[in-house]
Amino acid sequence: MRWEDGIKSPTLHDVAQLAGVSYATADRVQNRRGNVAEKSVRKVERAMEQLGYVRNVAAANLSRSRVRRLAFVLPSRSHPFFLRMHEQIAKFRQHIKAAQLQLDVIEFPAFDTEALEIALWDLLAQRYDGIACVGQGQDRALTMLREAGAKVVTLVSDGPKACRDHYIGIDNVKAGRTAARMVGMAHRGQPGRVIPLAGSLDVRDHGDRIRGFTEVLRSDYPQIEFCDLIETKDQDRLMRQALRARVETEQAVTAIYNAGAGNDGLIEVLGTTDQEKRIFCIIHEVSGKSREALKEGVVDVAIDQRPEIEMSRALALLQAIVDDLPPPPAPELIPAIYVRDNLPDDPL
């Protein structure tokens, strides 16, 4: 039998009655407290399924005065993409208290792997229920956190499955392949030379994007040559210096693909460089100067992974899995591809 939506929601008392056990036994099974015979466990679970019983996690936590502790470990607000992540977390603040949540944000300097390592090891002693972390290769620390009982979600950049429970972010290889496809299409079968840029190939998402980009160009557009990759640590100053020198020395540059950040420096170089033939440019993320650069035609395409959606999904996912509930259903996160004609309104 099933309980119909809108008539009455089944209670744990209903489950106990159908299973032929006491309420205390049903409660022990629901909350996995042990000391229940396997036969009784099967009866309770079967009754829950038949009734369509859904555990009221909020009520259970409230009755036990339990506050779940979540930590988001994020790079500091060093460029607009990470700023958007922090701003989205700030929007959560007014909603989390009613859900019996404590949400802490731990910041570290972008690309400072030692600082990230220290931050993660420090979390071990603090007994967090769930942790969301921008992955930068700290596999051992994440594994230890999971072994200590925390649920781990990686953001933006994935890691080995043994180190995390779930990943929320775009498929970065696909993003790089998409960028290469657009570069190839823009050349219309003509030869060219492309400058690839990344914050650091040691960061998985940047490395994956460059790998996908390289695969497609080499297989489908062999007439387009590669210049040596430039690593900028996502810093505008390094981007400005390195790219300006490269554009001035390389011959017949026809395209630029930036798999990381530092877009303000890139835009400045393109806006002031005298080129006989315009350079086709693809970047990641729409924020700040990149929006105006798209409007003005300095940049042609922006691939935006929509960090606001990533952060919202991460919070909803952690809320579920720290209470041993199934992950909320969510389709693959597909990045938005923006040109000057379809830019969304500026949220600021």
Side-chain angles (χ1 to χ4, degrees):
M1 79 183 177
R2 300 285 297 181
W3 291 72
E4 297 295 333
D5 293 338
I7 298 177
K8 179 184 178 184
S9 297
T11 67
L12 194 59
H13 285 286
D14 299 320
V15 171
Q17 183 177 10
L18 180 61
V21 300
S22 68
Y23 178 88
T25 297
D27 181 70
R28 296 190 72 83
V29 173
Q30 173 186 243
N31 292 292
R32 303 183 182 182
R33 294 196 183 97
N35 295 325
V36 179
E38 183 62 30
K39 182 178 179 180
S40 296
V41 171
R42 289 197 298 271
K43 286 182 177 180
V44 172
E45 290 177 343
R46 192 178 305 117
M48 288 179 175
E49 182 179 355
Q50 289 178 342
L51 293 173
Y53 174 80
V54 178
R55 178 187 179 207
N56 189 333
V57 175
N61 287 332
L62 187 61
S63 68
R64 295 194 299 268
S65 298
R66 178 182 177 227
V67 175
R68 281 87 44 80
R69 301 185 67 218
L70 307 180
F72 278 69
V73 186
L74 305 175
S76 58
R77 311 170 195 209
S78 54
H79 62 71
F81 175 76
F82 294 131
L83 177 60
R84 289 168 65 185
M85 299 180 78
H86 284 278
E87 287 177 342
Q88 187 66 18
I89 285 185
K91 296 177 182 178
F92 297 156
R93 298 294 184 186
Q94 58 184 321
H95 301 290
I96 61 176
K97 289 185 179 179
Q100 293 291 102
L101 288 175
Q102 174 188 327
L103 193 157
D104 298 325
V105 178
I106 293 89
E107 298 187 35
F108 66 95
F111 296 105
D112 189 336
T113 56
E114 182 177 354
L116 174 56
E117 189 88 24
I118 292 171
L120 291 175
W121 285 112
D122 285 347
L123 295 183
L124 271 172
Q126 300 185 47
R127 308 297 297 177
Y128 280 97
D129 298 289
I131 296 166
C133 174
V134 172
Q136 292 189 3
Q138 276 59 38
D139 301 343
R140 178 59 179 161
L142 293 177
T143 300
M144 292 295 292
L145 285 165
R146 289 190 73 203
E147 291 177 353
K151 303 295 185 181
V152 173
V153 173
T154 52
L155 302 168
V156 182
S157 180
D158 199 6
K161 292 183 179 180
C163 304
R164 50 79 169 167
D165 294 277
H166 298 275
Y167 165 63
I168 294 180
I170 65 172
D171 185 320
N172 287 292
V173 174
K174 286 184 180 180
R177 293 178 65 87
T178 301
R181 186 70 58 193
M182 289 186 286
V183 166
M185 293 167 63
H187 282 72
R188 298 177 179 273
Q190 298 299 310
R193 286 176 63 79
V194 59
I195 299 176
L197 304 115
S200 172
L201 292 185
D202 292 333
V203 180
R204 285 194 181 99
D205 55 332
H206 292 194
D208 286 347
R209 292 172 189 175
I210 292 297
R211 176 160 59 89
F213 184 77
T214 303
E215 288 173 354
V216 169
L217 279 190
R218 286 182 173 166
S219 64
D220 294 359
Y221 305 99
Q223 80 279 9
I224 301 176
E225 300 178 12
F226 283 89
C227 302
D228 291 339
L229 180 134
I230 300 173
E231 293 186 78
T232 67
K233 302 299 181 185
D234 279 359
Q235 297 181 19
D236 293 327
R237 179 182 58 82
L238 293 179
M239 170 71 78
R240 190 180 303 111
Q241 293 174 350
L243 182 59
R244 191 184 303 281
R246 182 66 61 82
V247 169
E248 291 175 352
T249 58
E250 291 283 356
Q251 298 297 314
V253 174
T254 56
I256 290 173
Y257 170 51
N258 182 20
N263 287 323
D264 287 1
L266 181 154
I267 291 164
E268 182 179 328
V269 171
L270 289 183
T272 58
T273 300
D274 182 19
Q275 291 287 320
E276 294 181 1
K277 187 175 181 181
R278 188 177 173 282
I279 297 176
F280 183 81
C281 181
I282 300 181
I283 63 173
H284 280 260
E285 315 315 332
V286 174
S287 51
K289 292 182 180 178
S290 64
R291 175 182 296 274
E292 294 305 313
L294 279 164
K295 290 181 179 179
E296 295 169 2
V298 177
V299 169
D300 297 277
V301 180
I303 301 174
D304 191 280
Q305 61 183 305
R306 301 183 288 178
E308 294 82 6
I309 295 178
E310 290 187 29
M311 302 303 287
S312 297
R313 284 190 181 182
L315 180 61
L317 176 60
L318 282 176
Q319 282 184 268
I321 64 178
V322 298
D323 285 310
D324 296 319
L325 294 176
E332 180 181 355
L333 183 58
I334 304 297
I337 298 177
Y338 292 121
V339 296
R340 64 190 301 178
D341 306 288
N342 71 333
L343 277 171
D345 293 335
D346 188 344
L348 299 180

